[in-house]
Structures are given as structure tokens and as C-alpha cells.
Amino acid sequence: MHFQLASLNLSEAAPDLDADGALAPETLFAKGDSALAKVLHRGPFHSSSTVQNAAYASFLETPIGIAVLVLARRLISSRPSIAKNWSLCKKYLENTVKIACSAEREIDEDGCEVLYGRAGLLYGLLYLKKALNDFSSSSIFSSLQEDFISEYYDSLKGLVSDGTLQQVVESIIIRGKHGSRIYSQEFRNHRTPPLPPLMWIWHGKRYLGGAHGVAGILQVLLSCPNVVIEPHLVEIIPTIEWLVGLQDLAGNWPTKAPSNYREGHQVNELVQWCHGAPGMLILLTTLLRRAPGDVPQELRDKIISSLRCGAAVVYEQGLLRKGVGICHGVAGSVFALLAVSDALDADSEERPYLTFALHLAHLATFYESFTAQGHMRTPDHPWSLYEGVAGMCCAWGEVLRRMGSETLRSLECSGQPGYDDLFT
Ligand SMILES: [Zn+2]
């Protein structure tokens, strides 16, 4: 069963994409709604259903993503399948938020990562908040009946209020501090560089990258409104500084937190969003964009040099053999280079990092022949957003938009979908 957005296969819902006008936004939205309807038909949304554990409540890999999309689409779509499931999806999300915010007797540092856990739920709430904000500032808002606004807009505002976001954030931060204390105990008899004030685990391992690790969790935390996240910058910024210090000489990062700083230089082989430089680069650019006044000049300089070094390794190794998807494929490399372009290209007319991204995006157009020749593998979900061609389509669209495409200029696509697309 496919409830996960990350592996949702849209091709079965869109067999006639070669028709004229197939790429028009209204056609694509209709196809998307139709795919949602099919998933809803098989989905877990009934009156008594609920998420059992907030550690499995993410936007990308659990039914929460479907619920969030239904709530957001209902604001502008009256398609029967969406209207019919709206209340159940709202209840499902409300129950999940309640579980995520409820006090627990024993805190552990697990279950907070983006792909499955609490940071993924937080992303879903932020996505919905953005949809509500966009809706309230749209031209149709003032012409709508009060009943509609009250039922479908006002009733969702509490679910994504700063107070609710604050509770989910607190739950993640408390676990991060707990994880940091345990991590520090492992070094109590050693002289080490300063250890991070926040640390989490996933399946017992201290991952660092975008999908399961520290970088992905911090990325979503930094995407929260200022009033929510400012009290926690005192822990977040030193944790990011610690991550910068782990970059190796080639420009990449380890998959996991070091267990012994005396191990010396190691080779970090994975250069992909889920593990390695791409996820780190997106986080570093987000910090510069979201909290510029809170980053001391010395750290800012370190981050810029880290971005240059990391972007070089992503460009050199970013034509990945695992396919063109976002998670461990070329699209993830392209989104990382576009993020670096946003941060550093303003200083140069040549826009070198956009050029790097464009080159990889162009090479990815040959993915079928690379695959046929055995240079590239076919992923498990070849059409999906995070493993397959759908993610690469988003990356191609993003590159074209930055090149000035008239067709795409009006679209609000900016950044990696499901991760780094909450702010323009
Ligand atoms: Zn991956």
C-alpha cells in the first residue's frame, strides 16, 4: 500500500500526459487531486484511526502527508473525494498533534528525524500554515462566503498556530538536549572539541544527514516562524557550528556523529541528500537566510568557506549512480547547488553555483540512456518524488524558473519539495 508521498507513484493516475496542454498547472493539479483520491480510497482515514506514535508521523512517509494535502487542497478545490475526506483528515491530524505534544514519562532522543518522525510532522504543519497564509492573501479570499471561510480556514488556524508549533518544537528540542547529554557522557574521560548541545538518534544511530539526522531536524526547526524558534537558537547555532567542524578535507561530511575523535581522518563516501554534503549545504544556507543577525561574523565566514568546499564535492560527485531522485539521486545534488547559488551567487555575475546545478540538471536529462548503458541504477520507486523522476522534474522546473522561463515564473516553486520549499 502506498500512503507515503515520498514514494507515491503518480504515473498510474496520469496515463495520458502526452495530450496537448498536459503541463498546464490546472491539468497537473487535477491529476494530483485524482492521485490523492486513489490514495484516500485505500488510506487509513476513518473515524477511529489515529497515529499511534509521533515517531512515525511525517509528511513524506506516513499518511500525515496525505491528510495535510487534503486539508490544503480543500481551500481551493471542491473535488468530491477531497471534500468528503476533509473532516476525517482534520481529525487524524489533530489527534496526531495531540500525541506529539502530550507529556511522556520517559523522554528518549529517538523519533525526531524528517523522513518518518517529529520533524516530518512539523514540516507538515508548516506546509499547512503556508497554504492557509497563501489562501488568505489570495484574490479569491475576500469573495468567499463566510461559512466556507469559517469551516475550512478558521477551523484549521489553531492546528498550525505558533502555540501548537512551539509544543512540537519543544518536544524535539527536549529530546535533542537529552541526546546531547548521553552523547557527552561517552566522552567524559576524553579531551574533545566542544560537543553539540543537541543530538538525536534514529534506530539507535546518531545520523547527521538530511533524511534521518541532525541536519534534517535543524532544517525544519529553522523553517519555523521567528517567534517560535528564536528561543532555541542558542542551542541550534552551536550545533550547526559543530557540524561545520566535521566537514572533511574533500568537502563532505560523515554519515554519523563521531564516536571517537582520535580515529583521525576518514573517508566519507556518501555525497547525497540523505547522507552527506547536499543536506548539510541546504541547512547552512537556511541558517544564513533565516537568522543572519544571530550568526557571528566568524561563524559566517566559516559557513561560507564550508559551502564553497561542499558545493565543489557535490558538483564533482553529484551525478549519482542511484538514479535521478531527491533522496540519493541527482535531484538532491541539484537542489543543494541551487541553495548554495541563492546564498553565494549574488557576489558574481557568472553565477557559478547556478551553472553547476544547471550542468547536473542537463546531464540528468540523459538518465534513460545512462540506465540502459548500466551507468545508473533504476530505483525501487522509479517515478516517485524522493527516489524517482518526479523529484527530478521538480529540480528541472526549479532550474528553468531561475533561468527566466516565462511559463514557470509565476509558480511558487522554490527549494526542495517536502523539505526546503516553505519560504521563497
Ligand atoms: Zn537516500
Side-chain angles (χ1 to χ4, degrees):
M1 285 195 290
H2 293 290
F3 302 136
Q4 310 96 325
L5 291 178
S7 57
L8 187 60
N9 186 350
L10 289 179
S11 66
E12 66 180 79
D16 56 347
L17 272 180
D18 57 346
D20 282 349
L23 290 176
E26 54 275 19
T27 310
L28 294 175
F29 278 124
K31 298 287 181 193
D33 285 348
S34 156
L36 258 187
K38 289 197 174 185
V39 180
L40 283 165
H41 182 65
R42 301 184 298 224
F45 306 107
H46 48 78
S47 55
S48 59
S49 67
T50 182
V51 165
Q52 300 299 319
N53 182 352
Y56 291 91
S58 73
F59 180 82
L60 285 171
E61 285 285 356
T62 80
I64 285 297
I66 305 297
V68 166
L69 286 188
V70 167
L71 297 180
R73 284 298 291 156
R74 181 66 188 98
L75 298 170
I76 42 182
S77 165
S78 52
R79 193 182 176 97
S81 59
I82 288 179
K84 198 175 77 190
N85 285 283
W86 188 88
S87 297
L88 290 174
C89 287
K90 178 168 172 270
K91 193 85 203 143
Y92 191 79
L93 186 57
E94 281 171 346
N95 289 341
T96 306
V97 169
K98 219 175 278 175
I99 287 169
C101 297
S102 59
E104 289 172 44
R105 240 176 288 155
E106 274 190 39
I107 292 285
D108 68 40
E109 72 270 44
D110 207 340
C112 290
E113 46 85 86
V114 167
L115 211 52
Y116 294 91
R118 291 176 180 83
L121 171 64
L122 184 60
Y123 173 88
L125 296 176
L126 292 169
Y127 180 98
L128 187 56
K129 189 180 184 80
K130 182 177 187 304
L132 290 172
N133 288 342
D134 291 348
F135 176 63
S136 67
S137 56
S138 69
S139 54
I140 57 165
F141 187 74
S142 55
S143 63
L144 291 167
Q145 299 284 340
E146 267 181 34
D147 287 359
F148 182 92
I149 291 177
S150 155
E151 182 170 2
Y152 294 113
Y153 172 76
D154 292 341
S155 69
L156 292 177
K157 282 199 294 189
L159 201 48
V160 296
S161 68
D162 289 345
T164 306
L165 296 176
Q166 186 72 62
Q167 287 186 60
V168 180
V169 166
E170 291 280 354
S171 170
I172 295 172
I173 293 280
I174 286 172
R175 287 174 165 77
K177 288 180 180 173
H178 178 76
S180 166
R181 279 194 292 277
I182 293 176
Y183 186 40
S184 301
Q185 281 166 15
E186 292 182 11
F187 292 94
R188 63 183 179 277
N189 297 325
H190 304 277
R191 281 164 62 94
T192 61
L195 292 167
L198 298 170
M199 177 55 65
W200 297 269
I201 60 172
W202 189 71
H203 285 192
K205 300 199 170 80
R206 296 190 180 100
Y207 288 108
L208 299 179
H212 304 301
V214 176
I217 296 169
L218 296 180
Q219 173 72 31
V220 184
L221 291 177
L222 282 177
S223 304
C224 288
N226 285 343
V227 66
V228 173
I229 209 59
E230 259 169 9
H232 304 295
L233 289 177
V234 65
E235 287 105 16
I236 291 174
I237 292 178
T239 304
I240 293 179
E241 185 163 18
W242 174 79
L243 285 173
V244 171
L246 292 182
Q247 189 175 26
D248 65 26
L249 295 174
N252 197 23
W253 273 266
T255 299
K256 288 176 282 197
S259 55
N260 184 341
Y261 279 90
R262 289 173 298 180
E263 283 169 356
H265 181 66
Q266 57 188 53
V267 178
N268 301 307
E269 288 179 340
L270 299 177
V271 185
Q272 50 200 40
W273 169 75
C274 48
H275 300 290
M280 293 293 173
L281 298 185
I282 294 176
L283 172 67
L284 298 182
T285 61
T286 303
L287 177 65
L288 294 184
R289 190 169 34 148
R290 295 285 296 140
D294 295 288
V295 181
Q297 188 60 43
E298 192 186 340
L299 175 56
R300 191 182 171 78
D301 293 344
K302 270 200 244 176
I303 287 176
I304 288 173
S305 112
S306 173
L307 285 173
R308 291 202 172 109
C309 195
V313 77
V314 170
Y315 177 53
E316 283 164 20
Q317 300 190 31
L319 190 66
L320 296 165
R321 296 175 65 87
K322 295 175 184 170
V324 291
I326 290 174
C327 190
H328 33 260
V330 187
S333 309
V334 171
F335 279 117
L337 292 171
L338 289 175
V340 178
S341 166
D342 287 344
L344 303 186
D345 270 349
D347 300 336
S348 158
E349 265 184 36
E350 280 85 35
R351 300 201 284 175
Y353 298 103
L354 179 60
T355 309
F356 288 168
L358 205 158
H359 188 198
L360 287 187
H362 176 65
L363 289 173
T365 63
F366 302 104
Y367 81 93
E368 283 172 312
S369 56
F370 290 150
T371 307
Q373 292 161 18
H375 300 310
M376 206 175 249
R377 293 206 296 271
T378 301
D380 291 344
H381 304 95
W383 301 101
S384 74
L385 182 63
Y386 262 61
E387 274 204 308
V389 182
M392 195 66 232
C393 286
C394 296
W396 281 323
E398 189 66 30
V399 168
L400 286 174
R401 192 174 74 99
R402 286 152 191 257
M403 289 170 67
S405 158
E406 284 297 324
T407 324
L408 294 167
R409 189 168 290 172
S410 61
L411 291 185
E412 280 190 29
C413 52
S414 179
Q416 181 172 314
Y419 187 68
D420 174 37
D421 59 344
L422 295 167
F423 299 96
T424 50

